[in-house]
Amino acid sequence: MNGMASDHNTSSQEEYLPHYLQKEDPFASKLSREADIVAGFYLTVIGILSTLGNGYVIFMSSKRKKKLRPAEIMTVNLAVCDLGISVVGKPFSIISFFSHRWVFGWMGCRWYGWAGFFFGCGSLITMTAVSLDRYLKICHLSYGTWLKRHHAFICLAIIWAYATFWATVPFAGVGSYAPEPFGTSCTLDWWLAQASVAGQAFILSILFFCLLFPTAVIVFSYVKIILKVKSSTKEVAHYDTRIQNSHILEMKLTKVILLICAGFLIAWIPYAVVSVWSAFGQPDSVPIQFSVVPTLLAKSAAMYNPIIYQVIDCKFACCRSSGLKTLQKKSSLKKSR
């Protein structure tokens, strides 16, 4: 009986054909022309705002590049990843949505899938590194003090190597990139898990090393930070004013990065859920019209970070101006005395 069951499972895997092999033209849009036009305009707006916003963040950071702290260097790297997604990836999908089909063939599909996965993985691993930096700076002050700028640059080299490795592995024959079910975009071939055990192992490896493990590190870091903040008031009060002010700045920067991580995960988790269901659920059980919504939401993640930067910069500017006013008042009082 067990042999018959295994033979049945093997035959069902061999019989399964992904959506892009079931039809002669896998790149034809499965949506209505009106829906494609709406999606094209949506991505155009997202792409313009993301390009301008992240470009502005990088430009302003370049003016004070020698004064950037390690965590700020990481957030600049995050802006580089978001800008890469906007410049390299979004024009392909925008043109395809307006053309009512993917117009760049299999080579363009694989390039688009690689670029999206490369920059997306780079963004998540960058936020993982930043969350660990925040955890050390807030929860372990003695360890956090030795984290310097050159450590940040070493970490950046590791992040880019990590993203390059996992994005390039599919080209070694282990996995692949394929068109989305709606036809006008491409992604990692999640449907390999329906075809073979090797495909399942590949998809599970991608899910663990490029989603679950980094997300778990981020959640662990910020849970520890929140618990530490509740009990840190008395501990920090024993230090001098300089250390107290430094701790306040670290907490403000931690809030910025927490918002960035939350925005990224909120944008990408629905897409991850749909992808996992496509990989391990019933074959072709995700409706095509439903699968396009998480994809568009994930593509908007690159637009959030510049907005967060600007809001926090305005708050910092207000804090700086109020701080300058208090210093001026103190100096005038000293002069009068």
Side-chain angles (χ1 to χ4, degrees), residues 256-304:
V256 176
I257 298 164
L258 177 59
L259 288 175
I260 292 172
C261 293
F264 183 90
L265 294 177
I266 290 171
W268 278 96
I269 283 178
Y271 179 77
V273 170
V274 172
S275 299
V276 171
W277 183 260
S278 299
F280 299 101
Q282 292 296 322
D284 305 322
S285 58
V286 179
I288 292 176
Q289 290 76 8
F290 179 76
S291 65
V292 70
V293 176
T295 302
L296 295 177
L297 179 62
K299 293 180 186 298
S300 66
M303 181 188 67
Y304 302 150

Side-chain angles (χ1 to χ4, degrees), residues 116-137:
F117 188 33
F118 172 72
F119 288 114
C121 181
S123 296
L124 184 57
I125 303 304
T126 299
M127 286 186 288
T128 305
V130 174
S131 67
L132 284 175
D133 173 79
R134 297 294 87 204
Y135 168 71
L136 292 173
K137 285 286 180 69

Side-chain angles (χ1 to χ4, degrees), residues 114-170:
W114 180 90
F117 188 33
F118 172 72
F119 288 114
C121 181
S123 296
L124 184 57
I125 303 304
T126 299
M127 286 186 288
T128 305
V130 174
S131 67
L132 284 175
D133 173 79
R134 297 294 87 204
Y135 168 71
L136 292 173
K137 285 286 180 69
I138 302 301
C139 299
H140 301 281
L141 295 176
S142 58
Y143 292 100
T145 53
W146 63 264
L147 291 173
K148 305 300 181 183
R149 284 169 56 92
H150 66 275
H151 295 113
F153 290 114
I154 294 172
C155 190
L156 289 184
I158 296 173
I159 290 170
W160 287 110
Y162 191 91
T164 301
F165 172 78
W166 285 108
T168 310
V169 161

Side-chain angles (χ1 to χ4, degrees), residues 138-139 222-236 247 251 254-255:
I138 302 301
C139 299
Y222 286 111
V223 167
K224 284 290 189 179
I225 289 171
I226 291 171
L227 294 176
K228 183 68 175 179
V229 167
K230 290 183 179 180
S231 60
S232 64
T233 305
K234 294 181 180 179
E235 181 178 342
V236 176
H247 184 73
M251 290 306 304
T254 301
K255 291 177 182 178

